[in-house]
Amino acid sequence: MTKEEMLEVEGVMTALLPNLMSRVLLDNGQEILATSSGRLRRNRIRLLVGDRVTVEMSQYDLSKGRINYRHKDAGTAAAPPPLTRSGPPRRPR
């Protein structure tokens, strides 16, 4: 392995912490501290507790990682409800 090679593992978000940090429970039972990658921040992808994610970890520090991808579930693919206006109706011009 070279220095640039990263380990990719999957897990589930267990807690959201300040500064875009989160706790992730990996499939092997280990719990790590992870931060969201710049691509997730730039595209404003929201991470919630219970989301399935792919984490990239260095081989030198297996207690920390970077969240690369949030897996899409059937429940999260639903469209948001339509926006409704409140208040009096508009007058025609």
Side-chain angles (χ1 to χ4, degrees), residues 26-86:
L26 302 179
D27 289 342
N28 61 8
Q30 181 183 3
E31 191 168 36
I32 65 166
L33 185 67
T35 184
S36 58
S37 67
R39 186 176 62 92
L40 294 178
R41 292 179 194 172
R42 187 174 58 241
N43 294 320
R44 294 188 179 115
I45 296 174
R46 295 212 173 119
L47 299 171
L48 301 172
V49 173
D51 282 347
R52 189 126 182 96
V53 294
T54 299
V55 179
E56 190 176 73
M57 295 171 29
S58 169
Q59 61 182 346
Y60 302 110
D61 188 5
L62 299 176
S63 65
K64 296 179 184 173
R66 180 183 321 126
I67 300 172
N68 281 6
Y69 186 76
R70 184 189 67 151
H71 296 276
K72 296 178 182 169
D73 295 335
T76 59
L83 297 175
T84 58
R85 286 185 3 101
S86 62

